[in-house]
Amino acid sequence: MDRNFARALALVLKSEGGWSDNSADPGGATMKGVTLANFRRYVKADAGKADLREISDEQVATVYRRFYWDAVAGAELPGGVDYAVFDFAVNSGPGRAAKYLQAAVGAVQDGRIGPATLRAVGARPLGAVIDDLCDARLAFLRRLPTWPVFGKGWSDRVRSVRSQALLMSAPQPAPVPSSDPRGPQHPPGPSTALGSTPSPAPAGAAIAPPVERLPFWAAVLQILKSIFARSST
């Protein structure tokens, strides 16, 4: 569901990091995973590297949503699968991510995730889809000539994506409603609350007669009478 976009983006950005301008990276200069080409396409047509380094969070989200999330139908994919495909798209391109998902579920590999692909995804256990997609993704990365340079980081990334995607795909347990409409009640303490009904005495136990409590002034008057009676004797 589209509600996973913010969560998926936060996870992707942890992997993408900050500024990078590695000559061995075919994507060229990137900031938070946004390439200069995509920054020019969606944000500022004449941007340079200095502009890219100052990209705002809102601009980052715009690029990721339009170029990656929407391109792989992230809003239509089930939870967990959406993140796994999204991260794959960011790392290796939306078209490749879509085709590998289609291969994992037995759909036509045309690189466009539509109703047929979505039905094929829904027909399989989500955990199996995520595992097969991550396995295929890692196999693809191992074949790249840049594997010796980036292989360790890619392996760690795919491992993390698999773990998080499986967590996102797991059904969340529904909260158990309380049978008492007042909600959970705390057990009574050792003393009975004022105005509450005392617990019945055990069978066979002697019951003490109730103690008559006199009003305050009546008690004082009774004490004074007792004192005067003693003085007169």
Side-chain angles (χ1 to χ4, degrees):
M1 297 297 179
D2 201 45
R3 65 178 178 273
N4 284 337
F5 172 71
R7 180 178 179 184
L9 178 58
L11 291 170
V12 165
L13 291 179
K14 286 183 179 180
S15 299
E16 289 298 325
W19 175 254
S20 175
D21 194 8
N22 192 326
S23 59
D25 187 348
T30 61
M31 181 61 175
K32 297 182 179 179
V34 177
T35 65
L36 183 58
N38 282 335
F39 186 68
R40 288 171 174 168
R41 180 178 180 182
Y42 294 110
V43 180
K44 186 178 180 182
D46 60 346
K49 290 184 179 181
D51 299 307
L52 178 61
R53 295 192 70 152
E54 299 299 322
I55 189 171
S56 68
D57 291 343
E58 183 179 357
Q59 291 169 338
V60 168
T62 296
V63 173
Y64 275 95
R65 179 183 286 279
R66 295 181 62 185
F67 189 70
Y68 300 110
W69 183 262
D70 291 346
V72 297
E76 307 299 325
L77 290 169
V81 177
D82 53 2
Y83 166 54
V85 179
F86 176 53
D87 190 88
F88 194 172
V90 172
N91 198 197
S92 303
R96 179 173 287 109
K99 288 181 179 179
Y100 272 69
L101 173 65
Q102 290 167 334
V105 298
V108 176
Q109 298 176 52
D110 59 4
R112 295 187 299 272
I113 298 177
T117 301
L118 295 173
R119 285 194 299 269
V121 171
R124 294 196 61 203
L126 298 184
V129 175
I130 292 168
D131 279 335
D132 289 349
L133 179 64
C134 289
D135 288 345
R137 176 183 178 182
L138 192 58
F140 160 73
L141 292 171
R142 289 181 182 277
R143 295 192 297 269
L144 295 179
T146 49
W147 175 262
V149 178
F150 301 107
K152 184 180 184 304
W154 285 339
S155 295
D156 292 342
R157 178 169 181 163
V158 175
R159 185 182 306 112
S160 176
V161 168
R162 187 195 304 266
S163 174
Q164 291 294 329
L166 290 173
L167 286 175
M168 293 170 69
S169 70
Q172 300 300 315
V176 179
S178 173
S179 58
D180 190 332
R182 298 172 299 170
Q185 302 296 311
H186 296 288
S191 60
T192 305
L194 182 63
S196 62
T197 304
S199 302
I207 301 176
V211 178
E212 183 178 359
R213 298 184 181 277
L214 298 175
F216 175 75
W217 290 111
V220 171
L221 182 58
Q222 183 173 346
I223 293 171
L224 291 175
K225 286 181 178 180
S226 174
I227 293 173
F228 285 122
R230 291 177 184 175
S231 299
S232 60
T233 58

